[in-house]
Amino acid sequence: IKGSLGIALLNRGDVVNAMKALIMAAEADPNEPQVQYYIGLALDRLGRRDQAEAFYIRAGQLDPRLKVPASAAVDADHDR
């Protein structure tokens, strides 16, 4: 899975280093929905909810099967 290092770091609670790894993964493949989702999750954990929602929305656009937070799904519908 692309972004595996970032996901592992995030699961261990190392949000800052997880963000660095996830951003690198997103730069390598900006159309990978799971990487976009986990960047959103990391931003959420850093208290940057508005920025997180943009990544959740992007992840949901790339893969509609992903379970994105309800507030992000509502915002995505509103933007259409």
Side-chain angles (χ1 to χ4, degrees), residues 6-7 13 15 25 27 43 45 49 53-54 59 64 69 78:
I7 294 167
V15 182
E27 288 172 350
L43 287 166
R45 291 185 183 173
R49 182 74 181 141
E53 284 192 23
H78 183 268

Side-chain angles (χ1 to χ4, degrees), residues 9-55:
L9 290 167
L10 189 60
N11 287 335
R12 292 178 56 185
D14 188 353
V15 182
V16 172
N17 286 316
M19 276 296 297
K20 291 176 186 177
L22 290 165
I23 293 296
M24 286 178 27
E27 288 172 350
D29 186 358
N31 294 318
E32 173 54 49
Q34 288 192 346
V35 171
Q36 299 294 317
Y37 173 83
Y38 280 101
I39 291 172
L41 190 59
L43 287 166
D44 236 347
R45 291 185 183 173
L46 291 170
R48 295 162 53 186
R49 182 74 181 141
D50 290 343
Q51 290 175 313
E53 284 192 23
F55 284 91

